[in-house]
Amino acid sequence: MEEFSKDTIKSGLETQIVGQKIYVYNKTASTNDVAWSLAEKHNSEGVVVLTEGQTKGRGRLGREWFSLPQKCVLGSIILKSNMLSEKLNLLTIGTSVAVSKAIRNTTFLPAYIKWPNDVVIRGKKVCGILTEKRKTKTGFIVVGFGINVNLDAEDFPRDLCGKATSLKIECAKKTSRVELVQKVLFEIEKMYLYLRKGEGSQLFDEWKEMSSIMGEQVRVILPNEVAEGQALGIDPDGALILRLDSGISRRITEGTIEYAYCN
Amino acid sequence: MNIKELKEIIAIFQEADIEELEIEREDSKIRLKRNAEPEVRHVAAQSHAPSVAVQTEAKKLDTDKEEAEKDGLIEIKTPMVGTFYKAPAPDADQFVDIDEKVNEDTVVCIIEAMKLMNEIKADVKGRVVKILVDNGQPVEFGQALFLVKPE
């Protein structure tokens, strides 16, 4: 079996900032939490935390994130938020672009983004991203991601059936987790540097190209209602622009897309 | 008047051939006016929305504010548009409760904006007197979330 370690990942890693320090754990509570404690300790951006197993892996709103050792890529990256001005949402969107590109380049699978930042293949989720900003003096931001790499269909709990997939299920062979992580880190750094230089527009073109919902009729579940319409695109702040059936354009900054027709 | 009603009114207004519309009810007052340059108050982050200026005057919010000022209470406001969460997870304890003491660094809630979880700190030392929004409720820029009696 391929060795998934700091050394194997660093060998051949083409980055300047992201991944200059890498920690690989066998088991942690949540990589985002570990990253936060490291951020305070090291005071440096680009530190990467990876783990084989999470006892408290979580998604949005503390929802549990399912994973199995040796079959997933679970990680968090410490980035510096004050370099990115107010456009922090773009970091979340940018990470989904980066992961989709990394998956496409590694597996040639049709990875697409479901707004705002889920990565899906043929409509099923393959990667989740959780970005956290805490009010610390150091101004860090932690981007966490979980990618289903070599999970088999029978590995998934029943409630994820039909909703989640893995790279192995989609391309019928194993993917090198080392190669995938290297490409993810490379693409995240590229995106991070774009944002730091204020060149976010580059991201929008890529996001549009990789969006699973552009031009499609979608249904968005909002906190108190449901909005239906055609997805027109995203605005410079990353909000989804929906043309409602009544013809009015509406700007959506929250909610979950219930279904999206995927390529 | 709830957000849904407000949105419906805006939608009707946009389609109708009228310049200005004012509706007054017991609890709220809303005035819509067509404008070339959108000017937005209370409804934040609408700069890319259609060119309708929205001015809402929710009397309830004003009452809360007046009450707060009278009693020397301080509001903890949200610095962004998003969804308010009073706990880190649905089954977890909430960050703070009524009567609980907070200081400048106490995390009081999370505001989620497009899957970015932003911790909000109290930035004030005192005791929580009132929580003004419900869990999972959308909040607008600058909206008061908590009332705190400073100590």
Side-chain angles (χ1 to χ4, degrees):
Chain A
M1 186 185 277
E2 176 189 52
E3 189 191 331
F4 189 76
S5 69
K6 182 179 81 179
D7 295 334
T8 54
I9 295 166
K10 276 195 124 179
S11 145
L13 182 65
E14 297 168 43
T15 58
Q16 306 299 319
I17 303 167
V18 172
Q20 291 311 297
K21 252 202 184 95
I22 298 177
Y23 294 83
V24 182
Y25 296 88
N26 274 330
K27 200 182 241 182
T28 57
S30 133
T31 54
N32 266 28
D33 290 343
V34 174
W36 276 113
S37 55
L38 288 172
E40 298 295 303
K41 201 169 119 194
H42 291 288
N43 193 22
S44 69
E45 61 182 339
V47 175
V48 173
V49 178
L50 295 160
T51 188
E52 286 293 359
Q54 287 190 118
T55 52
K56 285 185 181 164
R58 60 196 156 84
R60 243 174 110 236
L61 310 182
R63 285 176 198 147
E64 196 187 333
W65 181 263
F66 169 75
S67 69
L68 283 180
Q70 277 89 47
K71 293 189 169 188
C72 299
V73 166
L74 307 165
S76 296
I77 302 176
I78 302 169
L79 298 173
K80 210 144 184 113
S81 62
N82 51 4
M83 290 181 177
L84 301 162
S85 69
E86 293 79 41
K87 305 271 183 187
L88 280 179
N89 290 327
L90 298 184
L91 197 60
T92 305
I93 294 220
T95 304
S96 65
V97 170
V99 172
S100 302
K101 276 166 86 173
I103 290 175
R104 286 184 183 195
N105 292 341
T106 314
T107 62
F108 304 104
L109 283 168
Y112 282 86
I113 302 160
K114 191 177 122 187
W115 183 87
N117 66 349
D118 283 346
V119 180
V120 297
I121 296 174
R122 298 179 186 109
K124 293 180 188 170
K125 186 158 162 173
V126 75
C127 170
I129 294 158
L130 182 75
T131 314
E132 285 184 300
K133 168 122 177 73
R134 294 189 186 172
K135 279 227 168 165
T136 56
K137 290 188 184 76
T138 44
F140 286 115
I141 190 153
V142 168
V143 181
F145 50 87
I147 310 173
N148 303 331
V149 186
N150 292 324
L151 290 163
D152 294 296
E154 55 271 25
D155 288 334
F156 284 100
R158 192 173 285 176
D159 60 319
L160 292 178
C161 188
K163 293 180 192 163
T165 190
S166 75
L167 302 182
K168 188 181 173 194
I169 295 170
E170 295 301 323
C171 66
K173 62 172 189 198
K174 278 191 168 182
T175 296
S176 157
R177 292 188 302 148
V178 171
E179 190 191 339
L180 180 66
V181 167
Q182 287 171 338
K183 292 208 165 123
V184 166
L185 300 184
F186 176 75
E187 293 295 342
I188 286 182
E189 175 166 301
K190 223 163 83 182
M191 170 281 293
Y192 182 52
L193 293 176
Y194 277 141
L195 286 180
R196 251 186 13 180
K197 282 189 280 185
E199 292 170 7
S201 57
Q202 173 85 20
L203 274 183
F204 287 99
D205 296 340
E206 291 183 331
W207 187 89
K208 278 180 190 159
E209 194 264 315
M210 294 189 160
S211 168
S212 66
I213 60 164
M214 280 291 287
E216 300 291 347
Q217 188 75 13
V218 295
R219 199 174 138 91
V220 190
I221 313 297
L222 301 167
N224 300 321
E225 57 177 320
V226 174
E228 278 184 68
Q230 187 194 16
L232 297 183
I234 51 171
D235 75 4
D237 297 325
L240 177 69
I241 307 298
L242 208 60
R243 186 195 287 139
L244 302 181
D245 297 340
S246 58
I248 296 165
S249 293
R250 179 161 173 191
R251 188 174 179 272
I252 311 259
T253 56
E254 60 200 325
T256 307
I257 290 173
E258 197 181 46
Y259 54 80
Y261 306 99
C262 295
N263 308 53
Chain B
M1 186 180 304
N2 60 33
I3 294 285
K4 190 166 178 274
E5 283 178 296
L6 183 60
K7 281 172 184 159
E8 277 169 4
I9 293 168
I10 293 172
I12 293 164
F13 175 72
Q14 280 182 315
E15 289 190 328
D17 185 25
I18 44 176
E19 282 298 305
E20 200 167 339
L21 172 72
E22 193 165 330
I23 300 168
E24 192 161 3
R25 284 200 202 158
E26 265 176 21
D27 60 338
S28 57
K29 190 169 123 184
I30 167 174
R31 198 172 90 218
L32 300 172
K33 194 178 170 193
R34 245 173 244 281
N35 231 342
E37 283 294 312
E39 174 205 330
V40 178
R41 215 177 75 196
H42 281 303
V43 179
Q46 288 274 0
S47 53
H48 305 280
S51 56
V52 177
V54 181
Q55 296 196 340
T56 57
E57 287 172 30
K59 282 181 185 166
K60 194 188 163 296
L61 288 177
D62 288 347
T63 321
D64 276 339
K65 199 174 176 186
E66 279 163 24
E67 201 180 294
E69 281 168 8
K70 197 176 68 192
D71 297 341
L73 302 179
I74 290 175
E75 293 175 334
I76 302 175
K77 294 176 180 173
T78 168
M80 66 198 71
V81 177
T83 306
F84 171 86
Y85 293 110
K86 59 183 182 182
D91 54 352
D93 289 341
Q94 60 191 70
F95 290 106
V96 288
D97 209 341
I98 291 168
D99 268 348
E100 225 169 276
K101 284 193 172 176
V102 294
N103 62 40
E104 289 82 351
D105 288 332
T106 310
V107 174
V108 289
C109 65
I110 285 176
I111 302 291
E112 178 193 357
M114 280 187 277
K115 297 207 181 176
L116 176 69
M117 307 293 161
N118 295 278
E119 279 188 351
I120 306 297
K121 287 194 173 179
D123 278 335
V124 59
K125 196 174 176 197
R127 196 169 46 80
V128 176
V129 175
K130 200 170 181 183
I131 302 173
L132 301 168
V133 279
D134 294 330
N135 196 43
Q137 188 184 320
V139 291
E140 303 295 352
F141 177 81
Q143 186 173 338
L145 308 172
F146 299 87
L147 292 181
V148 175
K149 192 163 183 68
E151 282 175 5

